[in-house]
Amino acid sequence: RFARSYRGSAPELPAARVRGTFLDFFRKEHGHLLVPSSPVRPRGDPSLLFVNAGMNQFKPILLGTADPRSEMASYRRVTNSQKCVRAGGKHNDLEDVGRDLTHHTFFEMLGNWSFGDYFKEEACRMAWSLLTEHYGIPADRLYVSYFAGDAASGLPADEETRQIWLDIGVPPRRLLPFGLKENFWEMGDSGPCGPCTEIHYDHIGGRDAATLVNTDSPDVVEIWNLVFMQYNREVDQSLLLLPQFSVDTGMGLERLVNILQGKRSNYDTDLFTPLLHAIHQISRVRPYSGRTGAADVGKVDMAYRVVADHIRTLSVCIADGIHPGMSGAELVLRRILRRAVRFCVEVLQTPQGALASLVPTEVVIGTLMFFPQVTDIINENEAHFLSSLQQGSRLILRTLNSVDYKHGVFPASVAWSLHRDLGFPLDLVDLMLEERGVKLYSDVLNVETLSDVSIRFVASEVRSDVRAPVMLDVLSLAELQRLGVPHTDDGLKYQYRLEQGRYVFPACHATVLALYDGQTLVSEVSGGQCCGVILDQTCFYSEQGGQSHDQGYFTRDGLQDVVYSVEEVVLAGGYVIHQVTAADSLKTGDQVQLHLDQVHRLSCMVKHTATHILNFALRKVLGSSVQQRGSHVAADRLRFDFSVKGSLSVSQLQQVERCVNDIISANQIVHSQVLPLQRARSIRGLRTVDEVYPDPVRLVSVGVPVSELLDNQTDTQTSVELCCGTHLLQTGAIEDLVIVSERQQVKGISRIIAVTGQEATRAREVGQVLLQEVDSLSVRLSDSAPSSLDSAQRLAKEIGVLSDAVDNTPIPQWQRRELQGRLKALQRTSNTGVRKLEAREKNGRREVLVDCVDTDSLSVAELSLPSQLCDAARSSEAFWEGSVCLSGSQGKKGSPVSDVTGGAVCSEHLISCVFSPQDSKSLPASDWAVAVCHYLGGSAGGSALVAKGTGSSSDITDALRWAEQFAHQKTQQ
């Protein structure tokens, strides 16, 4: 316990000790289980971009959907410090970060929970004891708010909580009632909710600050929120009491450390001061001074705060597998990174790479785990953005200089172009304009909103034929338990066997135990009604672990000709819910026969086992740093996301495929066994993903019996994973695997799409056909260049069509990469030929150029002729493959000089090369020079490529005409 003095200097109380004291208080003194923080990427919750509250990982308990076999289902009282990110979505503090001293995108939430154990009194007493006795915060600086009730909702005031605080000793003048907005917490539009009580702290002290509570005063701040979940908000907005009351509390570590270290700003605590010092060391500006608003000249202190906050967020997100990208949480992280880079470069004047150099500082302060990939990803994204930043800044300045800003606003179209084309977040554009005293049109934010809406609309159109699954709410699940409805026995989904090379699946006869109409449990549904059906047993696989649910149908005893098609199969709280549109009436107690779509199931089994082998192969080829980041197994293909620095090379793709197909060809046995979770985790080389596993857990091993894995304490070179999916019994049924796509989704995360069996064979066959077509094109281009513009354009179009086929047809990805490289080279050659022929067409296909240069000196003429030839060659590509004859006159005598030159374009020693080798066969330069000079009464000499001579004539124009006619006659023979 700490002795605190709030009048003098605060004793040293590091943030790590503040965190440890909280956890120890609940763990050691009040019997709470310490649960590790979950990653900031939500586990199976598409409604969240990031984990933004301590309760996120416990939602399955609150909703009643936790697997009864999992450790989570046994939680009664727990505590933890949860990593949270609030940037995007409902809770978005991104734009406020840096402007003040309190907002953050990343923070830690200290919390304690009770799930059906203690409730209001125990929660309040423990909170008061920790704050006043253990942390030593003076009670006269604390104020408490409670729920005042809401007549419109039919909710009474929480007098029970008020009386508890009075009994604890909180004076009535410091016990304040507030309404729904401040003191009633809800998970969402529907679901668990309840009144809450908050504890507020007065930084000043020695006064009555009751009127400042909940007024956003920087002097009186909320530090702890205790939520009492006792109601369930129904879809019709009515409130019903929950079958089990819970406590959910949350207290921000940053704000608590602020108070306990006697600071007025979170950025002055030891959570941030090491970072601020490190930023100063790499910047070219003054040290951090904590100024805000107009006092912060040049926004230097704002930049310090932005960078310090954002590097924490970037580090924890990247470490947890969220990388900057183009949608969802990845897009938000991309915006955060670009905002940080912009402040580093433009305000703090740091060199490139400075942002990533701050990551090790996070290790010093002990809040985040560090690994090299974090700095690599930040550096790569920073380099990419800096070029865009320079281009965007120039565009903004050019626009500001070219438009009359009578109203001090900026064109929405330009802002949207910056956002769409250069990846500028609109809030960054707004910030850059704000610094110049200019505002965006008010409809710009609407543009962003419309864009988001359109994306969601397109997505909904794609899924318009898919009905949302019928999911039981927490009250219905609790009612099932109250009625004693047993959990669904779905063990039959694993009870299949091989007979003479064919899979045999068990028959399943079941009883309808419960029906759910979307709102409540019912005893009967009529024909045409959509409902959820719960049976005593099932052979259907419910969607989980990345594997698609089974397909099939029911028939009812006594009504075998009526089919009840199963549209969805989901698992909630130990119950398998079959979503069915009833073809006829159905009631509890009915007997049904389940008919499994065996072809669909077997296809999923093939893809799931292939996914495990692919995971093993990737780690074997690329190294143990490869981590699974997601997967999906469907009947037609498999998708696998994994961490890797860059896209795989052609060689690596071939090695991975070869490794997978070697295991397939060996027809290895696939072993599975249910084990206690702790024992399964002891197996070396075990691969897991971040999710809550049941206990006991199913373990799947390829080629090595599970008993051997348990006995062997060395890394085993085989695929071994915790998995609830259905798998093959032998790998040979996969037949073949082809990776048809591999690309980086975001920096550091790659996605593989693969096909198996006949689809893989077809992919290889199509790849060979495309290879032959590319070979044929290569031969045609190398044998002879197109003789006409039409033929050249047809060939270029043919290359383009073939390129599209290679890009979009399922073929081996390694082969696609090779063919794409060859086609790009062919396209460049073809385009060059088209340009030359177009130029010749434009200039009348002139192959002979005869011209005259005036000079008084033979030596000057000799120097001038090469440059004249060069100018002629540059003026039209048509001349590059033709012939040139230039004559120069010397003084009054009119003695002309003939210089006939030829060779390869861009020769180093003779830049004026114009003759092509093929022209030299029909018209050697020496023959032309001799003939022309003879016509002029002189002589010449030289080679087939270069020749010179002299002669005289009173009419040089006639001589030039004769020279051109001579050349045409020779070249056309």
Side-chain angles (χ1 to χ4, degrees):
R1 301 187 180 187
F2 309 121
R4 294 277 306 158
S5 170
Y6 284 77
R7 294 180 178 82
S9 59
E12 188 64 30
L13 193 60
R17 194 174 173 195
V18 173
R19 183 194 300 111
T21 298
F22 181 94
L23 299 177
D24 286 346
F25 173 81
F26 285 102
R27 183 170 62 92
K28 295 179 178 179
E29 298 195 22
H30 295 282
H32 288 62
L33 175 69
L34 178 58
V35 177
S37 170
S38 67
V40 293
R41 180 186 289 277
R43 290 170 172 157
D45 190 346
S47 67
L48 293 174
L49 289 174
F50 303 95
V51 167
N52 59 18
M55 54 75 59
N56 289 161
Q57 69 167 307
F58 303 118
K59 282 177 70 173
I61 302 177
L62 300 173
L63 295 172
T65 59
D67 189 324
R69 301 168 300 165
S70 67
E71 182 184 10
M72 179 178 287
S74 67
Y75 290 169
R76 290 297 173 264
R77 50 173 71 189
V78 299
T79 186
N80 80 340
S81 180
Q82 173 64 48
K83 299 175 291 185
C84 298
V85 173
R86 288 190 177 176
K90 179 180 178 182
H91 300 288
N92 185 6
D93 293 337
L94 178 57
E95 294 183 27
D96 295 320
V97 172
R99 298 178 186 272
D100 58 26
L101 304 174
T102 56
H103 280 93
H104 304 291
T105 53
F106 168 75
F107 62 96
E108 288 186 67
M109 185 67 83
L110 303 170
N112 60 288
W113 288 265
S114 165
F115 305 111
D117 192 345
Y118 60 83
F119 201 44
K120 296 180 180 180
E121 181 170 1
E122 295 91 335
C124 292
R125 290 189 178 278
M126 284 187 284
W128 195 256
S129 172
L130 176 63
L131 292 178
T132 61
E133 298 173 13
H134 290 253
Y135 286 133
I137 298 176
D140 61 7
R141 291 203 181 194
L142 298 177
Y143 294 80
V144 178
S145 63
Y146 68 96
F147 182 51
D150 185 77
S153 304
L155 288 168
D158 190 3
E159 292 294 335
E160 179 185 3
T161 297
R162 180 178 183 275
Q163 188 59 50
I164 290 169
W165 286 120
L166 289 172
D167 293 343
I168 289 173
V170 178
R173 66 180 183 279
R174 290 204 179 97
L175 193 53
L176 312 170
F178 287 92
L180 283 171
K181 180 181 177 181
E182 296 85 2
N183 282 86
F184 195 87
W185 186 91
E186 304 197 44
M187 184 181 294
D189 294 334
S190 61
C193 56
C196 62
T197 181
E198 296 177 339
I199 303 174
H200 302 255
Y201 174 78
D202 178 16
H203 277 281
I204 305 300
R207 59 176 181 165
D208 183 356
T211 58
L212 296 178
V213 172
N214 281 333
T215 62
D216 292 326
S217 168
D219 297 329
V220 180
V221 295
E222 172 212 333
I223 57 173
W224 206 346
N225 186 13
L226 285 65
V227 178
F228 306 126
M229 280 180 274
Q230 60 191 86
Y231 300 105
N232 190 70
R233 176 76 72 180
E234 299 293 293
V235 176
D236 63 4
Q237 296 303 294
S238 62
L239 291 169
L240 299 176
L241 284 175
L242 286 168
Q244 173 182 284
F245 291 178
S246 297
V247 173
D248 164 14
T249 84
M251 177 162 56
L253 173 67
E254 288 76 9
R255 189 169 291 182
L256 179 60
V257 171
N258 175 341
I259 292 169
L260 295 179
Q261 292 185 358
K263 308 295 184 181
R264 294 303 304 275
S265 165
N266 294 348
Y267 293 94
D268 292 332
T269 68
D270 65 346
L271 287 169
F272 287 93
T273 50
L275 271 173
L276 296 173
H277 177 71
I279 293 169
H280 178 243
Q281 295 299 311
I282 58 174
S283 71
R284 298 186 181 91
V285 297
R286 60 172 172 78
Y288 177 71
S289 58
R291 298 169 184 166
T292 60
D296 182 18
V297 179
K299 298 188 182 295
V300 171
D301 288 338
M302 178 180 178
Y304 270 105
R305 290 187 290 269
V306 167
V307 174
D309 171 88
H310 288 6
I311 193 61
R312 282 161 49 94
T313 305
L314 289 164
S315 297
V316 72
C317 287
I318 295 172
D320 281 350
I322 304 176
H323 295 186
M326 295 303 295
S327 63
E330 286 79 9
L331 177 59
V332 174
L333 200 65
R334 182 171 179 252
R335 290 174 176 173
I336 291 172
L337 187 144
R338 293 188 161 201
R339 192 167 186 255
V341 170
R342 190 250 169 176
F343 274 102
C344 271
V345 173
E346 293 195 352
V347 182
L348 298 174
Q349 302 172 37
T350 63
Q352 185 171 337
L355 184 64
S357 73
L358 297 171
V359 175
T361 308
E362 296 296 294
V363 184
V364 174
I365 63 176
T367 61
L368 303 173
M369 293 184 64
F370 166 71
F371 60 102
Q373 191 182 14
V374 174
T375 57
D376 292 342
I377 291 169
I378 292 175
N379 278 329
E380 290 171 8
N381 280 271
E382 178 185 23
H384 187 267
F385 177 56
L386 284 176
S387 60
S388 298
L389 181 62
Q390 294 171 356
Q391 186 177 352
S393 298
R394 289 195 298 268
L395 179 57
I396 288 176
L397 289 175
R398 187 163 61 248
T399 305
L400 290 173
N401 292 332
S402 63
V403 180
D404 181 14
Y405 291 96
K406 294 180 180 178
H407 303 291
V409 291
F410 190 81
S413 59
V414 178
W416 181 245
S417 176
L418 286 165
H419 175 66
R420 180 193 59 213
D421 302 329
L422 295 179
F424 268 57
L426 287 177
D427 60 331
L428 177 56
V429 178
D430 193 22
L431 186 62
M432 294 174 73
L433 293 173
E434 178 186 318
E435 293 169 355
R436 296 170 172 85
V438 179
K439 292 184 178 180
L440 284 172
Y441 275 120
S442 60
D443 65 346
V444 172
L445 292 180
N446 292 336
V447 172
E448 185 176 37
T449 302
L450 287 173
S451 174
D452 291 340
V453 169
S454 67
I455 292 171
R456 289 196 298 271
F457 177 76
V458 171
S460 66
E461 285 289 290
V462 172
R463 300 190 301 268
S464 60
D465 60 335
V466 180
R467 192 196 306 265
V470 175
M471 180 62 75
L472 274 68
D473 63 16
V474 63
L475 293 178
S476 298
L477 287 167
E479 180 67 6
L480 288 173
Q481 295 175 9
R482 189 188 68 80
L483 294 172
V485 176
H487 293 143
T488 310
D489 178 4
D490 61 351
L492 283 175
K493 66 187 179 185
Y494 296 128
Q495 295 180 21
Y496 45 85
R497 63 188 187 278
L498 267 172
E499 287 186 2
Q500 298 179 345
R502 296 178 61 86
Y503 280 86
V504 178
F505 297 91
C508 182
H509 193 265
T511 303
V512 178
L513 298 183
L515 297 167
Y516 181 71
D517 65 1
Q519 293 184 327
T520 186
L521 295 174
V522 294
S523 59
E524 185 175 1
V525 293
S526 56
Q529 187 173 356
C530 180
C531 64
V533 181
I534 297 174
L535 307 171
D536 61 337
Q537 65 172 345
T538 182
C539 60
F540 279 56
Y541 182 84
S542 54
E543 182 152 358
Q544 53 184 317
Q547 179 177 330
S548 298
H549 63 82
D550 278 337
Q551 296 180 1
Y553 60 91
F554 299 163
T555 55
R556 201 180 83 198
D557 286 6
L559 199 65
Q560 280 82 1
D561 57 338
V562 176
V563 172
Y564 296 79
S565 180
V566 177
E567 300 159 354
E568 194 95 14
V569 187
V570 295
L571 180 66
Y575 297 100
V576 176
I577 302 130
H578 307 76
Q579 179 175 310
V580 170
T581 298
D584 203 309
S585 63
L586 191 66
K587 62 181 182 297
T588 55
D590 281 347
Q591 303 294 305
V592 294
Q593 186 72 34
L594 278 66
H595 301 267
L596 177 69
D597 184 335
Q598 298 182 10
V599 173
H600 179 272
R601 160 68 83 82
L602 184 57
S603 295
C604 288
M605 289 162 55
V606 165
K607 304 303 185 298
H608 207 149
T609 302
T611 299
H612 280 218
I613 299 173
L614 175 63
N615 188 4
F616 168 74
L618 286 166
R619 290 168 64 92
K620 185 174 181 180
V621 172
L622 303 177
S624 59
S625 63
V626 170
Q627 297 294 326
Q628 179 176 340
R629 295 300 187 187
S631 67
H632 187 260
V633 175
D636 58 339
R637 65 176 189 172
L638 65 91
R639 186 198 78 213
F640 189 79
D641 298 344
F642 59 102
S643 60
V644 66
K645 188 171 183 180
S647 286
L648 274 63
S649 66
V650 168
S651 174
Q652 288 171 330
L653 286 166
Q654 290 173 321
Q655 290 179 62
V656 170
E657 270 193 19
R658 192 179 305 117
C659 179
V660 171
N661 285 306
D662 285 347
I663 296 173
I664 293 171
S665 300
N667 197 24
Q668 295 184 4
I669 295 175
V670 180
H671 304 270
S672 62
Q673 186 173 328
V674 177
L675 297 169
L677 180 59
Q678 196 62 31
R679 193 173 185 209
R681 289 190 184 278
S682 69
I683 294 175
R684 293 181 180 271
L686 178 72
R687 278 171 287 285
T688 62
V689 293
D690 175 56
E691 61 180 50
V692 177
Y693 290 98
D695 191 5
V697 67
R698 188 175 181 82
L699 186 140
V700 177
S701 169
V702 177
V704 181
V706 175
S707 58
E708 188 174 319
L709 291 172
L710 291 169
D711 295 338
N712 189 359
Q713 292 304 306
T714 60
D715 287 343
T716 304
Q717 292 297 307
T718 189
S719 166
V720 52
E721 300 187 30
L722 301 181
C723 182
C724 61
T726 57
H727 285 270
L728 296 170
L729 300 178
Q730 292 179 253
T731 61
I734 302 172
E735 297 180 2
D736 188 10
L737 179 138
V738 168
I739 297 172
V740 296
S741 173
E742 186 276 327
R743 63 188 180 90
Q744 290 254 300
Q745 294 295 99
V746 295
K747 287 289 184 182
I749 301 291
S750 212
R751 169 169 292 180
I752 278 178
I753 304 295
V755 292
T756 60
Q758 293 302 310
E759 290 86 356
T761 302
R762 278 194 292 272
R764 294 191 191 279
E765 291 172 348
V766 173
Q768 285 302 111
V769 171
L770 292 175
L771 172 62
Q772 292 171 6
E773 293 190 23
V774 173
D775 287 342
S776 175
L777 267 178
S778 299
V779 171
R780 286 160 57 190
L781 267 177
S782 60
D783 283 352
S784 62
S787 58
S788 68
L789 180 59
D790 286 344
S791 62
Q793 289 174 334
R794 283 196 301 272
L795 184 60
K797 185 176 181 181
E798 192 175 339
I799 295 172
V801 170
L802 187 53
S803 295
D804 287 342
V806 168
D807 290 345
N808 301 308
T809 305
I811 62 173
Q813 180 68 6
W814 64 264
Q815 190 174 40
R816 189 192 321 277
R817 297 253 173 90
E818 287 188 341
L819 295 181
Q820 286 172 335
R822 292 180 60 187
L823 285 166
K824 285 178 182 177
L826 292 176
Q827 193 75 65
R828 286 194 297 268
T829 302
S830 174
N831 290 343
T832 299
V834 169
R835 285 196 302 270
K836 288 183 178 181
L837 290 168
E838 284 176 342
R840 292 178 64 177
E841 185 96 0
K842 180 180 179 180
N843 291 279
R845 298 179 181 274
R846 294 178 62 190
E847 296 181 352
V848 175
L849 173 64
V850 178
D851 207 348
C852 178
V853 58
D854 292 327
T855 178
D856 293 335
S857 167
L858 179 61
S859 60
V860 171
E862 289 176 342
L863 293 172
S864 300
L865 288 176
S867 63
Q868 289 291 329
L869 289 170
C870 207
D871 290 342
R874 288 197 190 101
S875 65
S876 172
E877 290 183 351
F879 298 141
W880 290 14
E881 296 180 0
S883 310
V884 174
C885 173
L886 292 182
S887 294
S889 59
Q890 181 183 3
K892 296 180 180 178
K893 297 180 181 178
S895 177
V897 177
S898 175
D899 185 356
V900 182
T901 312
V905 180
C906 299
S907 170
E908 294 180 3
H909 61 281
L910 190 60
I911 302 175
S912 56
C913 308
V914 182
F915 252 145
S916 64
Q918 57 264 38
D919 287 335
S920 66
K921 297 175 183 178
S922 58
L923 181 59
S926 56
D927 289 359
W928 197 11
V930 168
V932 173
C933 291
H934 180 73
Y935 181 80
L936 295 172
S939 60
S943 68
L945 299 179
V946 180
K948 288 184 181 181
T950 59
S952 61
S953 173
S954 59
D955 187 358
I956 188 65
T957 302
D958 178 66
L960 294 175
R961 187 182 304 113
W962 187 91
E964 185 172 1
Q965 290 174 352
F966 176 85
H968 278 300
Q969 289 173 0
K970 291 292 184 179
T971 56
Q972 291 174 6
Q973 288 178 358

